[in-house]
Amino acid sequence: QICLSLVELLFYLAHSPLGSIVLLDFQPRQFVMVDGNLKVTDMDDASTEELSCKEDNDCTLDFPTKSFPLKCSAVGKCEGINEKKNLFNAYRYFFTYLLPHSAPLALRPFLSDILNATGDLRYGINETLKAFETVLHLYKSGLYLPKRSLLLKDYITLKGFRMVEQEDYKCWPSYSHLGCLLSIHSAEEAAAICNSQSQCQSFIITQQRTWTGRPLASFRSSQTDLIPDANTIVYIKRSASSEERL
């Protein structure tokens, strides 16, 4: 969410009515999240001025660990230097820390492509935004999931119940510090997650939603402590012990 919102902001700055705007003091502390959108807190160090040049050799974009040769345009300006400077700063201050870690496994290659392409400045801001929107579509639609998955057949469903809220085993990246609360697309994906965790014996899909509209599922090591709830279904792994308890 943070990276996508940042890319949308940089897309606007690259195509603003004033021209391409560069953030000269590009630091994480310069940004704040407001209602799910990233905002710049200080525009004092923003500039629309682009580096003047006479030849391509005048247009090297230097960073502490990398340098990028740019073209000198016919009007004597380094082509796209403001856009590229913003984008590489987004890569080194945000993308490298946030992109590789919390996406579903099937989507991580797409994010790695974005990371590598922006790190080498092979993507401009237009291509970067399009790539993020593609990943978001796959994430929200569930198209990244296996086509034929029948894992739910390994679970008993109890309609009209939910589990008592209590501290349980932890997982990452959980939305709760008290247990394992993860974003899912469907009950099938929740079953796949539960199967991949040795502690997990059951799960419920909560009424909570993430910023993408996906529900949150709570994964539990306990199979007991059920209470009535007409709006909830408990999914419990089929095993000899669980069937005896039921």
Side-chain angles (χ1 to χ4, degrees):
Q1 182 182 16
I2 292 172
C3 291
L4 173 61
S5 187
L6 175 58
V7 169
E8 290 172 339
L9 173 61
L10 297 187
F11 179 86
Y12 173 78
L13 294 179
H15 302 285
S16 84
L18 299 177
S20 182
I21 298 175
V22 63
L23 301 176
L24 299 175
D25 185 20
F26 197 115
Q27 299 284 340
R29 65 173 180 269
Q30 297 289 91
F31 300 89
V32 64
M33 290 293 285
V34 179
D35 296 328
N37 295 305
L38 206 66
K39 306 287 186 181
V40 183
T41 60
D42 184 1
M43 292 293 289
D44 289 346
D45 294 308
S47 173
T48 57
E49 184 177 346
E50 293 193 304
L51 187 64
S52 297
C53 57
K54 294 183 179 179
E55 56 185 26
D56 291 349
N57 288 339
D58 298 329
C59 293
T60 301
L61 183 56
D62 289 316
F63 292 96
T65 58
K66 280 190 175 183
S67 294
F68 300 96
L70 304 180
K71 296 290 185 181
C72 183
S73 71
V75 295
K77 298 291 183 180
C78 295
E79 287 185 359
I81 191 168
N82 288 353
E83 172 187 330
K84 293 180 184 297
K85 187 172 185 179
N86 283 341
L87 189 55
F88 190 79
N89 278 327
Y91 159 81
R92 66 180 183 140
Y93 287 118
F94 288 88
F95 297 173
T96 54
Y97 298 105
L98 299 178
L99 283 187
H101 306 298
S102 59
L105 285 174
L107 290 179
R108 291 184 189 180
F110 294 93
L111 296 179
S112 293
D113 287 345
I114 294 174
L115 197 63
N116 293 331
T118 53
D120 295 334
L121 285 184
R122 288 185 286 109
Y123 280 1
I125 191 62
N126 294 357
E127 295 87 352
T128 303
L129 179 58
K130 184 177 179 180
F132 267 100
E133 289 174 340
T134 297
V135 175
L136 180 62
H137 172 68
L138 294 172
Y139 184 63
K140 292 174 71 172
S141 65
L143 290 174
Y144 64 92
L145 295 169
K147 294 299 182 184
R148 295 181 61 83
S149 183
L150 302 173
L151 299 176
L152 274 180
K153 63 181 174 51
D154 297 326
Y155 288 78
I156 297 166
T157 59
L158 292 179
K159 296 182 179 181
F161 290 92
R162 64 178 171 85
M163 289 172 282
V164 175
E165 291 186 16
Q166 59 188 29
E167 190 168 352
D168 208 308
Y169 77 91
K170 310 296 192 299
C171 69
W172 191 89
S174 177
Y175 281 79
S176 170
H177 67 280
L178 297 177
C180 187
L181 187 67
L182 299 175
S183 165
I184 54 134
H185 177 262
S186 63
E188 275 289 349
E189 184 178 19
I193 292 172
C194 190
N195 283 3
S196 71
Q197 298 174 346
S198 59
Q199 308 100 311
C200 185
Q201 294 297 318
S202 57
F203 65 88
I204 65 167
I205 300 174
T206 73
Q207 301 298 310
Q208 295 174 268
R209 300 272 171 171
T210 69
W211 66 281
T212 61
R214 287 164 53 105
L216 295 177
S218 177
F219 299 88
R220 305 290 291 273
S221 61
S222 171
Q223 304 172 37
T224 56
D225 301 326
L226 301 178
I227 57 176
D229 187 329
N231 299 315
T232 308
I233 301 175
V234 179
Y235 298 83
I236 302 175
K237 279 184 178 177
R238 292 184 184 274
S239 65
S241 58
S242 65
E243 288 174 1
E244 286 174 5
R245 288 174 182 166
L246 290 172

